[in-house]
Amino acid sequence: MKLADRVMALTPSSTLAITAKAKELKEQGEDVIGLGAGEPDFNTPQHILDAAFQSMNAGYTKYTPSAGLPALKQAIIKKFEQDQGLTFRPNEIIVGNGAKHVLYTLFQVLLNEGDEVIIPSPYWVSYPEQVKLAGGVPVYIEGHEQNQFKISQEQLKQAITAKTKAVIINSPSNPTGVLYTAEELLELGKICLEEDILIVSDEIYEKLVYFGAKHVSIAELSPELKEQTIVINGVSKSHSMTGWRIGYAAGNKQIVEAMTNLASHSTSNPTTTAQYAAIAAYNGPQEPVEEMRQAFEKRLEIIYDKLAAIPGVTCVKPQGAFYLYPNVKQAAEMTGFNHVDDFVEALLVEAKVAVIPGSGFGTPDNIRLSYATSLEQLEKAVVRIHQFVESKIQG
């Protein structure tokens, strides 16, 4: 049977081969340390678990409105007011089955065949695939390492064509962990306003920022930019609720209405129990969020210098998320590998450390390491990487 062209054009996930190999080695009894995780290693806070349990016992297990429970929308509205000083109405918010699916729905209602979406590189692996699934064309702008992987106003200008429909801004970034400043966002926003380009602002790592850095949403910088922006967020990373699958979009009510109509014919509604859990996440105590943030900050502070000390490794110090994104091209060459992907495979087989190659994020000279695992495991993993590199150089 011939499959649809749209799925045949998809690029396989860069994590699949490494994940499968790591799993195979573990099943053989090997002590593999996995640094590929894209989720916090903390359990969902207890008050959120309790709220979900109580909602089920109270019989709240039926369909909800397609765009989400009114009470959850109100909790999201309150969160925007408190954190960014932004005011949204309920008809400007849609809750979906995770931020990933909300993004998918957005591109489905936004893009016509051949419409272009500007995607800064390195990028989260699903951005280009979702654009392609909607008939759109990903247009990449390289974020240079010397500029902390961030794109400039001039780069954005040069990438815009008559077919450009939107640009994606992910701050803090997956995979780099870098954070745009208010000044940098204003420069990019000015171009988007002049050219009438929609801004898709992915802020899923908003709560995980470190060393005094401040997350800024481009939507909060002016009323005009708010109108030009669709904010994507959710509780997955901030409240360690990745498996609950609750994300949302906030912005233009015409776009949100179209997304709601599509959701009514695809998912019906986000999982009811998970919505009640998300209400508790936003309306309940926030101390667990801060405790998790502090733990990540401590891990980053300890691990960064150890990683940067490895021969042939350079690394932009992240300010958010829970990833390190070092350039290991020189280390790979020093150890006899022509490609970083080969270096990554050897690292797994010989040193028993699983990392994600940067080729899937648009930058083949890098690797992504998640520090969403215990400090003990992180330190052990970095020692193994260091020893692997030095042994290959000496050998």
Side-chain angles (χ1 to χ4, degrees):
M1 179 181 290
K2 187 179 186 301
L3 297 176
D5 291 342
R6 72 179 70 88
V7 295
M8 296 301 289
L10 290 176
T11 304
S13 169
S14 62
T15 64
L16 287 180
I18 288 293
T19 301
K21 186 66 175 178
K23 183 180 178 182
E24 179 186 336
L25 289 171
K26 283 184 178 180
E27 288 174 350
Q28 295 171 3
E30 300 284 1
D31 177 25
V32 175
I33 300 175
L35 300 182
E39 58 184 351
D41 57 313
F42 297 84
N43 195 16
T44 304
Q46 189 61 46
H47 72 278
I48 299 173
L49 301 177
D50 292 342
F53 186 72
Q54 289 161 12
S55 75
M56 290 186 286
N57 278 340
Y60 300 144
T61 58
K62 309 301 181 184
Y63 292 128
T64 75
S66 291
L69 286 164
L72 178 51
K73 287 191 176 188
Q74 288 300 325
I76 293 167
I77 288 169
K78 180 182 175 184
K79 172 248 175 289
F80 274 117
E81 290 175 343
Q82 291 178 339
D83 292 349
Q84 282 88 26
L86 290 168
T87 300
F88 287 102
R89 296 183 293 273
N91 64 356
E92 295 174 315
I93 292 172
I94 176 172
V95 182
N97 295 282
K100 179 184 283 190
H101 195 263
V102 170
L103 276 165
Y104 174 86
T105 305
L106 172 62
F107 292 130
Q108 288 293 320
V109 306
L110 187 67
L111 302 179
N112 288 313
E113 199 73 27
D115 284 343
E116 296 176 351
V117 176
I118 294 173
I119 303 176
S121 170
Y123 47 76
W124 179 49
V125 294
S126 291
Y127 292 146
E129 306 309 316
Q130 292 192 353
V131 169
K132 289 189 286 186
L133 281 169
V137 178
V139 174
Y140 304 107
I141 301 178
E142 182 182 359
H144 298 292
E145 192 168 346
Q146 59 267 33
N147 193 40
Q148 295 187 311
F149 297 112
K150 293 184 275 191
I151 64 169
S152 68
Q153 187 183 58
E154 190 58 37
Q155 284 180 298
L156 179 58
K157 272 185 191 177
Q158 292 175 358
I160 293 172
T161 73
K163 294 183 177 181
T164 305
K165 199 72 173 283
V167 59
I168 300 173
I169 296 175
N170 178 207
S171 176
S173 159
N174 173 8
T176 67
V178 300
L179 198 65
Y180 279 87
T181 66
E183 293 74 21
E184 290 164 340
L185 290 172
L186 276 171
E187 286 187 355
L188 298 177
K190 180 181 178 183
I191 302 302
C192 293
L193 290 171
E194 289 174 355
E195 302 290 341
D196 193 24
I197 306 300
L198 184 73
I199 303 163
V200 180
S201 183
D202 184 349
E203 304 177 11
I204 194 70
Y205 292 96
E206 163 205 8
K207 293 293 184 182
L208 300 177
V209 293
Y210 315 117
F211 311 124
K214 183 182 184 300
H215 168 265
V216 178
S217 171
I218 194 169
E220 70 183 89
L221 297 178
S222 75
E224 293 78 17
L225 283 171
K226 177 176 178 283
E227 289 298 313
Q228 200 73 18
T229 301
I230 296 289
V231 178
I232 307 294
N233 209 328
V235 292
S236 291
K237 316 297 183 179
S238 59
H239 293 78
S240 196
M241 294 177 66
T242 50
W244 297 81
R245 310 312 303 137
I246 294 293
Y248 53 86
N252 180 282
K253 66 180 181 181
Q254 183 182 3
I255 294 175
V256 168
E257 181 181 3
M259 293 173 70
T260 302
N261 289 338
L262 178 56
S264 73
H265 291 293
S266 54
T267 58
S268 291
N269 63 267
T271 303
T272 303
T273 304
Q275 289 188 69
Y276 281 100
I279 292 169
Y282 279 147
N283 289 345
Q286 300 302 304
E287 286 81 4
V289 177
E290 176 59 14
E291 289 169 8
M292 186 170 66
R293 189 202 67 80
Q294 288 181 12
F296 285 141
E297 183 178 71
K298 180 181 178 182
R299 294 174 191 176
L300 173 58
E301 194 168 20
I302 293 171
I303 291 300
Y304 175 80
D305 289 336
K306 295 178 185 293
L307 182 69
I310 298 174
V313 172
T314 61
C315 188
V316 172
K317 192 167 187 177
Q319 295 176 293
F322 40 69
Y323 308 111
L324 287 157
Y325 199 63
N327 185 315
V328 297
K329 181 182 181 182
Q330 187 180 358
E333 292 173 346
M334 292 165 63
T335 51
F337 298 98
N338 293 325
H339 303 287
V340 169
D341 283 18
D342 297 331
F343 173 84
V344 167
E345 185 174 355
L347 193 62
L348 174 59
V349 173
E350 299 180 38
K352 305 300 186 290
V353 178
V355 299
I356 308 300
S359 52
F361 304 100
T363 48
D365 293 342
N366 297 76
I367 59 174
R368 193 191 77 174
L369 299 82
S370 168
Y371 49 93
T373 190
S374 72
L375 186 56
E376 179 186 2
Q377 288 289 90
L378 284 168
E379 290 184 303
K380 189 187 295 186
V382 174
V383 168
R384 288 184 184 182
I385 297 170
H386 200 145
Q387 290 175 341
F388 171 80
V389 171
E390 289 199 330
S391 67
K392 289 287 184 183
I393 294 172
Q394 292 168 3

